């Protein structure tokens, strides 16, 4: 029995054929190439789905379902991607468009962070856990919440957007329209912004060498790499960043008390270098300081495969 999961991202579209043991047995991908019309993007989604099936030697007739994880707000009941700012989608009839291109109706859509959480919960670090939260620290801050073994989607299928709870009132402008969102402080985008600002104020920082003296080459790794070379300016940026990440994680734990909270995404690859100081802050500030059972904070383990596996399981 096979399912196909699609990770629709701002940079790449990746499809994977997933077997009944939650293993990806083949993949196909193409560039998203935004901005361009949704019709063209869905042409390419159908293309990579067919390519992945062909590589696996599987007919679409043998595929139980196709699931797509996409940025933005998804109305699963109507099969519409209501809004995805980085894809320039506004009320896109996603189900109809993909069904026409694949000639099948067993097609499901959900938010990409929800898919990543589902993938980690079923086949990754959250396997067997009933109450679980997955955080992705990338271009934005994504999150997916699983309570009592079920994805929390809310009355309008848009629940779980923890990146858009405010941590600094009237703070940095967020792409969602609000100011002070966690995403505006804890995303890789925010880290890069603050890294560049610090570099401009400290022309002697090792970060300049690491970025080949070009601000356009600064990444989410720049400050972390320089910190490991004892650069004090970089250490200050990393410390500030970690405090903002920990602030949001504390809010989530205090509100939901999951058994496990895992951290993934590009910045999540820092692993224990990121998580050790976060745990220290959480342990000192959590509301449940005297509780015998505490939330385990750990790294996600499936990487980019989490979204594909989770998308493939949307029919369950």
């Amino acid at each position: 029995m096979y399912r196909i999961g699609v990770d629709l991202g701002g940079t790449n579209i990746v499809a994977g054929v997933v077997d009944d043991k939650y293993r990806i047995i083949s993949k196909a991908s193409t560039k998203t190439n935004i901005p361009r019309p949704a019709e063209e993007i869905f042409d390419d989604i159908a293309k990579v789905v067919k390519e992945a099936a062909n590589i696996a030697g599987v007919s679409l007739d043998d595929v139980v379902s196709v699931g797509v994880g996409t940025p933005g707000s998804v109305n699963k009941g109507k099969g519409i991607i209501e809004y995805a700012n980085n894809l320039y989608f506004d009320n896109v009839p996603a189900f109809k468009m993909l069904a026409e291109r694949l000639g099948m109706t067993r097609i499901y859509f959900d938010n990409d962070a929800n898919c990543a959480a589902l993938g980690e919960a079923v086949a990754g670090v959250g396997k067997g856990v009933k109450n679980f939260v997955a955080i992705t620290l990338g271009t934005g801050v994504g999150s997916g919440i699983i309570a009592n073994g079920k994805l929390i989607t809310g009355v309008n299928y848009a629940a779980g957007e923890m990146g858009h709870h405010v941590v600094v009132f009237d703070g940095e402008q967020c792409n969602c329209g609000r100011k002070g969102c966690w995403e505006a402080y804890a995303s890789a985008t925010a880290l890069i912004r603050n890294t560049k600002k610090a570099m401009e104020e400290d022309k002697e920082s090792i970060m300049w060498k690491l970025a080949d003296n070009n601000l356009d080459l600064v990444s989410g790794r720049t400050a972390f790499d320089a910190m490991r070379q004892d650069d004090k300016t970089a250490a200050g940026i990393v410390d500030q960043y970690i405090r903002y990440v920990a602030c949001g994680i504390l809010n989530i734990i205090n509100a939901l008390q999951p058994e496990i909270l895992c951290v993934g995404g590009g910045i999540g690859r820092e692993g224990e270098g990121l998580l050790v100081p976060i745990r220290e802050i959480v342990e000192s500030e959590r509301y449940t300081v005297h509780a015998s059972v505490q939330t385990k904070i750990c790294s996600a383990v499936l990487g980019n495969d989490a979204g594909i596996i989770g998308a493939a399981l949307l029919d369950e």
Side-chain angles (χ1 to χ4, degrees), residues 269-311:
R269 296 191 188 103
E270 291 293 331
E272 290 299 292
L274 174 74
L275 297 183
V276 167
I278 286 176
R279 291 191 194 107
E280 291 175 354
I281 294 170
V282 171
E283 287 171 7
S284 66
E285 298 184 19
R286 63 194 175 200
Y287 181 75
T288 55
V289 63
H290 299 300
S292 60
V293 178
Q294 301 288 351
T295 297
K296 177 183 177 182
I297 302 172
C298 61
S299 295
V301 296
L302 294 180
N304 293 334
D305 287 347
I308 295 173
I309 295 171

Side-chain angles (χ1 to χ4, degrees), residues 40 63 95 124 145 205 216 223 239 244 255 260 268 313:
E40 294 181 10
V63 173
F95 172 82
I145 300 168
S205 172
D216 290 336
D239 180 69
Y244 280 126
I260 292 178
L313 299 177

Side-chain angles (χ1 to χ4, degrees), residues 48-187:
V48 296
V49 165
K50 293 173 182 177
E51 286 180 358
N54 186 55
I55 293 169
V58 174
S59 166
L60 285 183
D61 291 334
D62 298 322
V63 173
V64 173
S65 63
V66 173
V68 181
T70 173
S73 177
V74 182
N75 187 320
K76 297 192 295 183
K78 295 181 179 179
I80 295 173
I81 301 174
E82 294 181 333
Y83 180 64
N85 61 299
N86 63 342
L87 294 176
Y88 303 90
F89 282 2
D90 188 0
N91 285 316
V92 170
F95 172 82
K96 180 176 182 293
M97 294 172 72
L98 192 55
E100 289 174 348
R101 287 161 172 78
L102 292 179
M104 60 186 294
T105 58
R106 303 176 306 279
I107 298 172
Y108 305 88
F109 289 83
D110 206 334
N111 174 268
D112 53 359
N114 282 346
C115 291
L118 184 58
E120 285 286 351
V122 172
V125 71
K127 190 174 182 179
V129 172
K130 292 285 189 180
N131 298 286
F132 175 74
V133 175
I135 303 298
T136 55
L137 304 176
T139 303
V141 173
S143 60
I145 300 168
I146 292 175
N148 294 321
K150 299 292 184 181
L151 268 173
I152 299 300
T153 57
V155 68
N156 57 2
Y157 308 105
E161 289 287 350
M162 300 308 299
H164 299 290
H165 76 273
V166 169
V167 296
V168 179
F169 180 73
D170 205 26
E172 293 284 348
Q173 182 67 54
C174 182
N175 285 336
C176 76
R178 298 185 79 188
K179 290 185 177 181
C181 288
W182 190 33
E183 180 172 297
Y185 293 88
S187 63

Side-chain angles (χ1 to χ4, degrees), residues 10-52:
T11 303
N12 297 300
I13 304 168
V14 186
V17 177
V18 179
D19 67 13
D20 55 5
K21 294 183 179 179
Y22 312 126
R23 299 175 301 192
I24 298 175
I25 62 172
S26 70
K27 285 184 184 178
S29 66
T30 190
K31 294 294 183 182
T32 313
N33 291 327
I34 55 175
R36 58 177 173 145
E39 288 80 6
E40 294 181 10
I41 291 175
F42 274 82
D43 285 342
D44 278 345
I45 293 174
K47 173 185 171 185
V48 296
V49 165
K50 293 173 182 177
E51 286 180 358

